[in-house]
Each structure stands twice: as C-alpha cells, then as structure tokens.
C-alpha cells in the first residue's frame, strides 16, 4: 500500500503542477512555485495558439502518426502471417533480423537516413527531407520490426485448427487471414496500432532533424515556446495538456485491447 501510494503521488503531483501552472499568469510562474494560482486565468490556453503555430504542428503530428501506424500495421499483418503460418527458406534469418533491429539505437540511423533523403531529392526531385512522407518512412524503420515481432507472437497463439477448418471449407490463404485470423487477433492488432501511433507521436530525435517549419511535429514544435528572451512556461503546460487529450482518450478507450494484445504477444 505504501509503495502504491508513493507511485500514485509520483504521477499525480507532476500532473497537478502542470494543470495549476497552465492556469497562472506568466509572472506568477516565473516568480516562484505556489501550489495554487493567486490569479487563476485561462488566457494561456488562448495565447498558446498564436505564440507558435500549434494547430499546424498538431495536424502534422496527427497525419504522420496516423499514416505511420496504419502502414506499419498493414505491412506487419501480412509479414507476421507468413512467418507464423508458413515454413520457408530464410524464415529464421528474417525473424532474427527483425528482432535484432531493436538492438540498435535510433541515432545510429539518423545520419544515413538524412543523407539518403537529401541525395535522393537532389538526384530525382523526390523531396523526402522536411516532408511528412519522409517522416512516415523514417518512423516505419523502427515501428515496423517491433510490430511484426508482436503480431507473430499473437498469431502463434491462435490455434492452427482454425486454419485447417477453413481450408476444409475451401478457403485460401487470404481468406483465412481476413476471415479467421484477424477477427481472433483484434487485441493484438489494436496493441500494435497503439504502439506505432504513440511511437510516432512522441518521437523527438528524427523529427528535430528531418523536419522544417512547415512539417514540424508537436514533439519538436513545443520548443517554440522557449525564445531567446523568455520561456512561456504557462503556455507550454497548457499546450501539453491540450495535445495530450486525444492520445489519452484514445488509449483509455482501447486499453482493454491493448493490455490483452501485449500479454498475448509477450508469452510467446
């Protein structure tokens, strides 16, 4: 009980400080910490949209994260189905390669991807650097391998007897996948989707290098509240709260699928 109470305070106190700081004038935040605003105000929630182009950053993050999650899940479903249900030459090498990509830090791929995008743009005119498309491809490089690995574990937990029964009825591989496997694997697919979305939503390293003012995402754009002469702490807190609402709401709505998918994928 003591440990649980300490962990609860560890989570609740920072959240409370964030909420109260967002309801304070900037001068109150800078003068010194107080547990309650002396002059509560909602002005930071209004000013945060004009101090930086927060709406543009929000749209960029939503577009990039959603497309990255959809593409990651779509490719991972077919790859995981092949690895889970078929025995083919190179299957073991493929599985080890997919898993081994998680061993390398992301910064290891930053410079090579940057050079590839720039050189590709110069040679072909295909602008991947400082574009949403390039950022989506970048996020797929580290969300897709983990997505495949998770779905392989979940597909392995589905009895093969279901496949055999469908084959008796004349179902082919695609029909088995879409009519038998996927309906039984909804929790795993949701877990992978949430993981891919959250990975792209909060990523900072690649977004800080691969974007410009027009394609910048929220994770990097929030730095705009810090200028050469001032830091708008109340607006930072207000913006952090506002942009967290969609993610938290979606996570809570899909929580039961997410936990079930993670558990099933982990035991295999």
């Amino acid at each position: 009980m003591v440990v649980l109470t300490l962990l609860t305070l560890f989570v609740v106190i920072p959240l409370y400080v964030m909420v109260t700081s967002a309801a304070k004038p900037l001068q109150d935040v800078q003068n010194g910490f107080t547990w309650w605003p002396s002059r509560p105000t909602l002005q930071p929630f209004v000013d945060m949209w004009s101090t930086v182009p927060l709406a543009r950053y929000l749209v960029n993050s939503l577009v990039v994260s959603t497309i990255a999650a959809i593409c990651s899940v779509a490719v991972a479903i077919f790859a995981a189905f092949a690895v889970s249900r078929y025995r083919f030459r190179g299957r073991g090498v493929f599985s080890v390669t997919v898993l081994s990509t998680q061993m390398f830090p992301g910064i290891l791929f930053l410079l090579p991807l940057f050079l590839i995008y720039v050189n590709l743009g110069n040679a072909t005119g295909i602008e991947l650097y400082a574009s949403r498309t390039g950022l989506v491809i970048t996020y797929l490089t580290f969300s897709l391998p983990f997505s495949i690995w998770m779905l392989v574990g979940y597909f392995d937990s589905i009895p093969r007897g279901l496949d055999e029964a469908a084959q008796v009825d004349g179902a082919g591989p695609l029909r088995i996948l879409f009519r038998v496997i996927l309906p039984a694997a909804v929790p795993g697919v949701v877990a992978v989707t949430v993981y891919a979305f959250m990975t792209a939503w909060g990523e900072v390293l690649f977004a800080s290098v691969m974007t410009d003012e027009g394609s910048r995402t929220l994770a990097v754009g929030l730095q705009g509240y810090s200028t050469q002469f001032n830091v708008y702490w109340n607006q930072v807190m207000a913006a952090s709260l506002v942009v967290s609402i969609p993610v938290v709401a979606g996570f809570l709505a899909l929580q039961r699928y997410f936990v079930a998918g993670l558990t099933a994928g982990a035991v295999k």
Side-chain angles (χ1 to χ4, degrees):
M1 179 62 85
V2 175
V3 175
L4 183 60
T5 302
L6 292 176
L7 290 176
T8 302
L9 292 175
F10 184 77
V11 174
V12 171
I13 291 178
L15 183 60
Y16 173 80
V17 172
M18 181 182 296
V19 173
T20 55
S21 297
K24 295 178 181 179
L26 181 60
Q27 185 176 0
D28 286 2
V29 179
Q30 293 176 333
N31 285 342
F33 175 75
T34 56
W35 287 101
W36 185 254
S38 59
R39 294 173 296 165
T41 177
L42 296 179
Q43 192 61 36
F45 290 91
V46 178
D47 295 338
M48 67 181 186
W49 299 100
S50 56
T51 302
V52 301
L54 186 64
R56 184 202 306 160
Y57 299 156
L58 179 60
V59 171
N60 288 338
S61 288
L62 285 174
V63 171
V64 170
S65 300
T66 301
I67 295 178
I70 292 174
C71 292
S72 180
V73 171
V75 175
I77 285 174
F78 290 100
F81 177 71
V83 173
S84 174
R85 287 306 195 257
Y86 296 97
R87 298 296 180 266
F88 52 89
R89 181 175 298 178
R91 176 179 178 273
V93 175
F94 175 79
S95 300
V96 172
T97 302
V98 167
L99 188 58
S100 64
T101 57
Q102 304 302 305
M103 299 170 53
F104 302 101
I107 196 172
L108 187 66
F109 304 100
L110 181 59
L111 183 57
L113 283 174
F114 175 79
L115 294 177
I116 290 173
Y117 287 178
V118 172
N119 292 330
L120 185 63
N122 294 334
T124 65
I126 300 176
E127 297 295 338
L128 293 179
Y129 172 73
S131 69
R132 294 175 179 174
T133 303
L135 204 56
V136 169
I137 296 174
T138 300
Y139 290 158
L140 287 177
T141 60
F142 50 85
S143 66
L144 183 56
F146 186 80
S147 300
I148 294 174
W149 177 69
M150 275 196 61
L151 281 183
V152 168
Y154 200 91
F155 286 177
D156 284 345
S157 68
I158 299 175
R160 296 180 182 272
L162 297 177
D163 302 29
E164 297 171 356
Q167 288 175 347
V168 172
D169 293 337
L174 290 179
R175 187 178 177 185
I176 292 175
L177 173 61
F178 288 105
R179 300 293 296 272
V180 178
I181 302 297
L182 284 184
V186 170
V189 173
V190 171
V192 170
T193 304
V194 172
Y195 164 79
F197 183 89
M198 293 297 295
T199 299
W201 182 268
E203 201 280 324
V204 175
L205 177 62
F206 288 94
S208 62
V209 177
M210 298 294 191
T211 60
D212 59 6
E213 183 63 27
S215 58
R216 192 162 295 160
T217 59
L218 279 171
V220 180
L222 291 178
Q223 298 177 4
Y225 291 105
S226 176
T227 66
Q228 182 178 358
F229 305 101
N230 209 349
V231 179
Y232 298 96
W233 290 110
N234 54 347
Q235 295 184 39
V236 173
M237 300 301 177
S240 300
L241 288 173
V242 170
V243 302
S244 298
I245 290 175
V247 179
V248 173
F251 182 83
L252 292 177
L254 300 173
Q255 183 180 15
R256 62 191 182 97
Y257 297 106
F258 185 65
V259 174
L262 282 178
T263 304
V267 299
K268 283 293 180 179

